[in-house]
Amino acid sequence: MPSQMHDPDSATSAAWLHMEEVHRAPEPEVLAPLIERARLGEGERGRIEATALDLLADLREGQRTGWVNQFLQEYRLNSSEGVALLSLAEAFLRVPDPETADMLISDKLGDGDWRSHTGKSHSGLVNSATWGLVIGRALVGDENRANTLRRLISRTGEPFVRQAVGAAMRMMGEIFVMGRTIDEALKRMKKPDQKGFTASFDMLGEAARTFPDADRYFEAYERAIEAVGKARGDGGTQDNHSISVKLSALHPRYEVSQWGRCVPELTERLEALCQVAARADIGLTVDAEESERLEMSLDIIEHVAELPSLKGWNGFGMAIQAYGKRAQRTIGWAEALASRTGRSMPVRLVKGAYWDSEIKHCQEQGLSHYPLFTRKAATDVCYLACAKDMLEAKAIRPAFATHNALTAATIIEWAHDTDSFEFQRLHGMGEGLFERMVREQGYRCRIYAPVGGHRDLLAYLVRRLLENGANSSFVHQLADEHLTDDDLLRDPVDRIVEVGGKRHPSIPLPEDLFMPQRKNSQGLDLEDWRVLKRVTEGIDERADIGPEPEAVTDVAPLLDQAAAAFPHWSALPIEERAACLDRLADIYEERRGELMALAVHEANKTIPDALAEVREAIDFCRYYAAEARDKLVPQELPGPTGEANILRMEGRGVWCCISPWNFPLAIFTGQVAAALVTGNTVIAKPAPQTPRIAAAAVRLAHAAGIPADALILCPGGPETGAALTGDPRVAGVAFTGSTATAKAIARSLLDDENRPIVPLIAETGGVNTMIVDSTALPEQVVADVITSAFGSAGQRCSALRLLLVQEEVAERMIAMLSGAMDGLVVGDPSDPKTDVGPVIDDAAYEKLMGHRAAMEDRWLKTLEVPAEGRFVPPTLIRLDSMDDLNTEWFGPLLHVATWKSGKLEETVSRINAKGFGLTMGLHSRIARASELVEARAHVGNLYVNRSMIGAIVGSQPFGGEGLSGTGPKAGGPHYLPRFCAERVTSIDTTSAGGNATLLSLDDIGG
Ligand SMILES: Cc1cc2nc3c(=O)[nH]c(=O)nc-3n(C[C@H](O)[C@H](O)[C@H](O)COP(=O)(O)OP(=O)(O)OC[C@H]3O[C@@H](n4cnc5c(N)ncnc54)[C@H](O)[C@@H]3O)c2cc1C
């Protein structure tokens, strides 16, 4: 936590505290002062427009020459061909085996309408490339034509298409990358087309997943700084090349929850790089990354800036993103830091590169407001307001990174001179914009120049292609024939004032994501250290969770009570029952801290898991309430005239809900809420390990208006469960737990010959598998595997048990996975830095440790864990064959095997043969692979290119088939009807003496 890291009285920290006010404030509020700051005077407006028109002309000229620009214009992101090329570019270069590479090409080129692009571009090269794609499509697409061509090609013995596509992708890479090595990049900067420009070199590779990767990036930065230092010419740092550093490349756990560990370690690493840069007297700028990392980066930057050994070095800089609501305050912070440490600090103002992923992340977290603006013009306004502050600041040396002619023209107007600042642009973008200014008018411009091999290029390349192709992007709009210069140069202040600074209407607030159906559950910003600290303290304060509710030994009186309550409860209008669930959701939200503490202390949930638990319970309540209102109302059905047919959905009687310890609030609440809202009364038996949180849930449900005898808690073990399900008064059972118990319940329901046939909804486990092919991005696979296999200590029914990696990439993938496992923190779940807590009880511990020990000669990796407590070490276990695992091991033990390229279908069949059917994961960039798995896999939930856990109510209804459960899916549209008796009434309306409706028809009709 930051408390040990900085002094709250210092000027910079005070500015830091004010940032909180705007972080998630509504957009109009944040924008109001920025609009005033960015507003142009009348005289200014005319001059800026004139300059901007000149710049536009230069930029257009520059864009006409680059074939890549032409290529990107021809294949826009909103065409299917553009998207196909983007995905091909993203994946192709990392695929080692020809078979998969061919499949990828066929997949991406196969469906595109390449022919419609032929001859359309001004660029001959682009037209040639298009013809290449047309031929490529012929080769991989339509069978008849393809065969002829394929024969031709095979005669030459050349894998022609693969080579051509590979070459094209490499060329594309070279457009955006300055060189594979720093020496190559330095050499390229000497070429005539870069004349007059300086560079800031960036070592490609970001978001290191392992410590060895982070070391590798560190060394690359160090070598680059030395090389740039050697190449240094005369003049100050502003006239020499510099380096840009991404902190995420230097630490695999650069996360707020790991603050205490990663901030000191990153500070040390950055300090070491700065020492080298200061000795060489070159500039070093810290790039800006995702918004949740802002404060950590400031903490690190502050420490390094204050180092006495770096006093007098004016090269230490930072980047600030104008799309963030805290941008202007961050500039104030930087100015205070620079003046306090007696330096002139280069500050690069950017708009920001992670806009789309940040918006999604915030929606997933269910947070109150976005930390970024949702309209492009708002970002522009903020950029200009920040630019003005920077130009007036005393201790900041401004650098304005933009490819936008209007933004650049405004800065030219405001700066008054050419010397007090520099422009910056990305290599491969905005060519033409600054050339004349640099070579004829004395302005400075620095090119952000990525350096690295193809393997590290991809994430960067995709960001650049997206940036070039986005509809809102200035360089993209430039080529849009429908937009006039006036459109392009419209003052962003006017645009924003026109809409009152309001949020973009197509980007709902996270809480409104599911509107108009229901409110989304509120999240907590655990990536804000203040919130995390507060939540952690609240959980610590509630460590005393009191005594366990007593187990019930005689279930008969409870059943009597619930049976007696049924007629009244079931007769209530649906709306009344639904309103109880909505109230319960609100009460859960109010009492979230208490419920989270129970989840942590009673069920060993980590803090993020505890939050997700409470949110899921809330979502279940609101979802089933909405579903009931929508689907349970009586329906009129069609039939012959003179007849009324009505379908009614009604309660069946007393339901017994038996829930597991691994989701002691969410699953408990989900079952109970569904049974209640459909008109049943409920006896709820929680797992014997987690009766307290269930007791709290029932107390709150009663407070929400559910009568005490309509919902009765029945704590106890297996015998209590058996007594309940065996009792003829029970009219339905909802069960989540092991397959063996589900089968035992099913048998018990049939024991008594005189008992009616009773519905059973069973959700059980699975031997869940993830298939990874060679087109998958290893970094993404590793992050998703870690979450899916080791999150919640593997104690989720959806958790990954068997990882199947395509042979050709298995070694690298496993090495990266082992490295990433080293970063996992195993320990006390109430500590915010813990990733993996203990398993639930001694029995689970013994069972898992027994299996682990039996597989010792197959361990690929295991971790050290605390000596005290039921900590099962996260372990990676190699199998010779995927057929060797047929049992669910409910803990952090991950098995790994390989599969052969071309055998995807067979692999899926072998997984199906295990008989389970809960979750499956697939990581592949080949759309046809995902179609194939979707068509063949017998699983309830298939997750493609993401983690396999964390199903969201209403978005990913959850539940399996085969040995994994009966369905219907929890949190899905078919769940409620299973709790109901369906009753139809058919009335002959003519029996009263004639068919009045028919006889009163108007003769003509209409
Ligand atoms: C030298 C240099 C260094 C860079 N370093 C960094 C860095 O450290 N960190 C970083 O994140 N980026 C960095 N970038 C990338 C930079 O963020 C983009 O290149 C920049 O946003 C493009 O802005 P523009 O003025 O050229 O284009 P414009 O087309 O005028 O603006 C595009 C930008 O507007 C924003 N935007 C788009 N849609 C919306 C919307 N609906 N609501 C709100 N905002 C929206 C986005 O930031 C988008 O990138 C750097 C760029 C350069 C040139």
Side-chain angles (χ1 to χ4, degrees):
M1 288 285 151
S3 48
Q4 79 258 26
M5 294 299 297
H6 74 160
D7 166 14
D9 294 331
S10 70
T12 53
S13 299
W16 170 336
L17 290 178
H18 288 306
M19 282 186 213
E20 213 185 334
E21 295 169 1
V22 284
H23 184 23
R24 291 191 192 279
E27 253 165 278
E29 213 173 278
V30 182
L31 280 167
L34 299 174
I35 289 172
E36 291 318 310
R37 194 77 176 126
R39 205 185 282 278
L40 302 179
E42 265 317 301
E44 281 180 344
R45 191 184 290 249
R47 285 193 298 274
I48 289 170
E49 261 172 32
T51 313
L53 280 170
D54 280 354
L55 292 179
L56 264 187
D58 288 354
L59 189 54
R60 284 214 173 94
E61 188 53 39
Q63 304 290 296
R64 236 195 294 283
T65 50
W67 76 267
V68 165
N69 293 319
Q70 302 284 313
F71 193 82
L72 293 170
Q73 295 310 339
E74 184 60 38
Y75 294 103
R76 289 167 167 243
L77 272 187
N78 51 12
S79 72
S80 55
E81 291 80 29
V83 172
L85 281 179
L86 177 72
S87 14
L88 189 60
E90 191 268 340
F92 185 78
L93 295 175
R94 64 171 168 262
V95 178
D97 56 304
E99 194 165 357
T100 312
D102 289 347
M103 267 156 53
L104 181 70
I105 296 174
S106 146
D107 195 69
K108 302 301 171 207
L109 297 192
D111 291 334
D113 182 10
W114 307 102
R115 201 171 272 278
S116 68
H117 294 267
T118 51
K120 290 275 165 64
S121 175
H122 303 300
S123 155
L125 244 161
V126 173
N127 290 333
S128 315
T130 298
W131 273 111
L133 294 166
V134 172
I135 295 172
R137 189 209 177 288
L139 283 174
V140 297
D142 183 276
E143 276 304 307
N144 292 333
R145 263 180 302 148
N147 283 344
T148 326
L149 278 161
R150 226 176 255 139
R151 269 202 307 280
L152 255 175
I153 302 290
S154 64
R155 227 174 276 161
T156 69
E158 280 288 315
F160 165 75
V161 179
R162 200 182 318 131
Q163 284 192 355
V165 169
M169 296 301 137
R170 272 184 207 99
M171 266 164 89
M172 214 133 96
E174 273 156 32
I175 301 300
F176 292 108
V177 175
M178 192 60 94
R180 277 166 303 179
T181 62
I182 185 72
D183 293 330
E184 216 177 271
L186 278 163
K187 214 157 120 198
R188 194 157 161 198
M189 275 309 292
K190 292 199 178 119
K191 293 205 164 156
D193 51 347
Q194 318 289 1
K195 193 168 160 272
F197 287 83
T198 50
S200 188
F201 298 105
D202 160 55
M203 298 297 109
L204 277 178
E206 50 200 73
R209 289 272 175 256
T210 68
F211 285 103
D213 275 352
D215 291 345
R216 186 163 66 83
Y217 293 137
F218 177 84
E219 282 156 21
Y221 279 128
E222 203 175 29
R223 267 198 312 275
I225 295 170
E226 275 160 4
V228 173
K230 272 203 201 104
R232 192 189 190 292
D234 299 334
T237 46
Q238 66 268 41
D239 295 312
N240 280 285
H241 298 321
S242 61
I243 288 283
S244 289
V245 172
K246 279 199 172 47
L247 294 177
S248 67
L250 297 176
H251 202 289
R253 297 299 308 268
Y254 178 33
E255 297 158 33
V256 172
S257 66
Q258 309 297 316
W259 192 306
R261 167 165 71 150
C262 75
V263 167
E265 286 171 14
L266 272 170
T267 307
E268 208 172 285
R269 294 209 139 185
L270 184 63
E271 178 188 339
L273 293 178
C274 285
Q275 300 288 7
V276 188
R279 271 199 304 277
D281 196 19
I282 62 159
L284 182 153
T285 292
V286 178
D287 279 353
E289 300 186 67
E290 292 82 355
S291 63
E292 74 265 15
R293 290 170 158 157
L294 175 64
E295 288 186 308
M296 281 191 291
S297 73
L298 299 188
D299 208 2
I300 294 163
I301 288 167
E302 180 172 9
H303 272 76
V304 173
E306 279 171 346
L307 289 170
S309 55
L310 295 176
K311 210 169 170 51
W313 172 50
N314 286 325
F316 185 44
M318 65 185 285
I320 295 176
Q321 295 153 322
Y323 66 20
K325 291 176 177 168
R326 292 170 292 182
Q328 195 185 30
R329 307 230 173 164
T330 311
I331 286 161
W333 180 95
E335 165 74 354
L337 175 71
S339 61
R340 188 156 55 84
T341 56
R343 54 163 38 86
S344 159
M345 188 173 190
V347 173
R348 172 203 304 153
L349 185 64
V350 303
K351 287 180 190 166
Y354 309 90
W355 183 81
D356 50 334
S357 51
E358 293 250 14
I359 294 285
K360 177 170 186 203
H361 181 65
C362 189
Q363 293 188 344
E364 286 168 342
Q365 306 294 307
L367 301 176
S368 57
H369 282 275
Y370 296 100
L372 321 174
F373 299 109
T374 57
R375 292 179 194 261
K376 155 79 167 64
T379 296
D380 288 338
V381 166
C382 180
Y383 192 96
L384 294 178
C386 291
K388 202 172 237 177
D389 284 7
M390 284 166 67
L391 287 166
E392 287 173 10
K394 300 271 178 302
I396 283 179
R397 269 204 339 269
F400 298 111
T402 182
H403 315 99
N404 181 320
L406 181 62
T407 310
T410 314
I411 287 161
I412 292 170
E413 168 72 18
W414 286 348
H416 301 301
D417 66 31
T418 59
D419 202 41
S420 55
F421 72 99
E422 68 181 29
F423 280 117
Q424 297 194 349
R425 72 162 173 83
L426 296 170
H427 174 55
M429 276 187 70
E431 278 135 339
L433 181 61
F434 297 113
E435 270 72 358
R436 222 158 41 86
M437 290 168 62
V438 166
R439 290 173 193 154
E440 296 169 19
Q441 297 163 7
Y443 286 95
R444 286 195 181 87
C445 182
R446 188 176 299 274
I447 299 173
Y448 188 90
V451 178
H454 293 125
R455 212 173 74 177
D456 292 325
L457 157 75
L458 302 171
Y460 179 82
L461 180 61
V462 167
R463 264 211 312 279
R464 290 293 79 83
L465 292 177
L466 279 171
E467 184 172 329
N468 272 284
N471 272 345
S472 59
S473 152
F474 187 86
V475 284
H476 183 81
Q477 290 180 345
L478 192 67
D480 188 335
E481 282 148 14
H482 305 294
L483 291 177
T484 62
D485 284 358
D486 280 353
D487 293 329
L488 276 175
L489 301 183
R490 241 192 101 201
D491 186 346
V493 168
D494 290 348
R495 285 179 198 247
I496 286 302
V497 168
E498 213 167 81
V499 294
K502 285 210 246 353
R503 185 171 34 81
H504 196 291
S506 307
I507 306 175
L509 286 181
E511 68 172 12
D512 295 333
L513 265 192
F514 300 106
M515 284 302 208
Q517 195 203 32
R518 68 191 155 100
K519 225 163 61 174
N520 190 7
S521 56
Q522 277 171 24
L524 269 171
D525 189 1
L526 297 179
E527 285 157 350
D528 178 335
W529 61 269
R530 297 167 201 80
V531 177
L532 186 58
K533 191 159 173 277
R534 211 164 48 231
V535 170
T536 309
E537 283 165 4
I539 284 172
D540 287 347
E541 279 161 16
R542 295 184 171 107
D544 179 4
I545 52 174
E548 263 191 32
E550 250 177 63
V552 171
T553 45
D554 178 6
V555 300
L558 304 188
L559 284 161
D560 286 340
Q561 221 180 320
F566 174 68
H568 173 71
W569 176 250
S570 63
L572 287 180
I574 293 164
E575 178 50 43
E576 263 185 59
R577 298 197 299 260
C580 289
L581 296 196
D582 280 339
R583 276 197 298 276
L584 178 57
D586 292 346
I587 296 178
Y588 275 178
E589 215 144 52
E590 280 159 31
R591 308 285 283 268
R592 182 172 55 194
E594 189 183 321
L595 293 168
M596 283 176 67
L598 277 167
V600 170
H601 296 302
E602 189 180 47
N604 294 335
K605 294 245 159 192
T606 58
I607 294 173
D609 282 352
L611 173 61
E613 176 81 14
V614 181
R615 288 192 66 197
E616 190 175 358
I618 293 168
D619 287 335
F620 272 135
C621 291
R622 292 192 180 134
Y623 178 75
Y624 291 142
E627 282 285 303
R629 287 185 181 107
D630 187 34
K631 304 230 169 88
L632 298 188
V633 287
Q635 277 181 54
E636 238 180 86
L637 302 176
T641 182
E643 193 174 279
N645 298 306
I646 306 286
L647 170 67
R648 285 170 294 116
M649 309 293 280
E650 295 181 351
R652 287 175 164 270
V654 180
W655 270 70
C656 168
C657 296
I658 304 179
S659 52
W661 49 262
N662 63 336
F663 287 96
L665 184 72
I667 293 183
F668 180 88
T669 303
Q671 293 176 342
V672 164
L676 284 169
V677 82
T678 42
N680 304 285
T681 52
V682 175
I683 307 277
K685 193 199 85 61
Q689 294 87 343
T690 51
R692 292 181 189 81
I693 194 163
V698 169
R699 259 195 321 274
L700 298 178
H702 293 160
I706 295 163
D709 46 7
L711 170 59
I712 301 171
L713 182 71
C714 180
E719 309 74 36
T720 314
L724 283 170
T725 56
D727 193 292
R729 279 165 294 187
V730 165
V733 177
F735 168 79
T736 303
S738 72
T739 311
T741 311
K743 285 186 172 173
I745 294 175
R747 274 193 296 270
S748 82
L749 295 178
L750 297 174
D751 265 355
D752 180 350
E753 273 303 319
N754 296 322
R755 189 174 179 187
I757 299 167
V758 168
L760 165 66
I761 302 174
E763 266 214 50
T764 56
V767 176
N768 308 315
T769 307
M770 182 190 279
I771 304 173
V772 177
D773 77 12
S774 61
T775 64
L777 180 66
E779 286 80 0
Q780 192 190 353
V781 171
V782 164
D784 290 341
V785 167
I786 293 272
T787 309
S788 308
F790 304 123
S792 315
Q795 302 175 110
R796 290 174 179 250
C797 38
S798 54
L800 169 61
R801 311 290 175 204
L802 175 59
L803 175 64
L804 296 177
V805 189
Q806 190 187 316
E807 230 166 40
E808 285 82 355
V809 290
E811 202 177 316
R812 178 160 181 242
M813 208 73 87
I814 290 168
M816 193 184 278
L817 179 56
S818 310
M821 284 173 70
D822 279 327
L824 283 172
V825 179
V826 183
D828 176 359
S830 67
D831 185 332
K833 64 175 182 295
T834 295
D835 300 302
V836 182
V839 296
I840 189 71
D841 59 16
D842 289 342
Y845 179 80
E846 297 303 335
K847 203 169 153 194
L848 290 162
M849 292 303 273
H851 175 64
R852 179 174 169 275
M855 304 300 271
E856 189 170 351
D857 57 337
R858 302 187 156 273
W859 292 354
L860 289 166
K861 174 82 185 176
T862 193
L863 298 184
E864 292 281 314
V865 295
E868 291 294 307
R870 291 185 299 260
F871 295 102
V872 173
T875 303
L876 197 58
I877 299 167
R878 180 179 50 80
L879 298 180
D880 292 334
S881 155
M882 67 180 84
D883 305 325
D884 293 349
L885 185 75
N886 292 299
T887 312
E888 177 187 47
W889 294 99
F890 210 72
L893 307 178
L894 175 62
H895 305 78
V896 55
T898 56
W899 63 283
K900 282 192 194 312
S901 149
K903 301 277 181 204
L904 183 60
E905 192 164 350
E906 182 194 312
T907 301
V908 175
S909 302
R910 285 164 73 181
I911 300 169
N912 285 342
K914 292 178 192 296
F916 292 94
L918 192 52
T919 64
M920 187 182 282
L922 171 72
H923 264 277
S924 172
R925 292 295 192 259
I926 302 177
R928 296 215 167 106
S930 117
E931 285 159 17
L932 186 148
V933 176
E934 195 182 358
R936 297 274 180 276
H938 301 162
V939 290
N941 290 67
L942 173 65
Y943 294 102
V944 181
N945 293 332
R946 49 154 290 170
S947 81
M948 292 164 55
I949 59 169
I952 302 291
V953 172
S955 297
Q956 295 116 21
F958 186 76
E961 60 192 77
L963 292 172
S964 298
T966 58
K969 283 171 169 302
H974 308 298
Y975 197 58
L976 293 189
R978 187 66 70 90
F979 286 83
C980 297
E982 292 184 65
R983 293 180 178 137
V984 173
T985 308
S986 184
I987 302 173
D988 182 349
T989 52
T990 63
S991 58
N995 189 343
T997 325
L998 198 58
L999 288 170
S1000 57
L1001 275 187
D1002 129 32
D1003 194 32
I1004 305 296

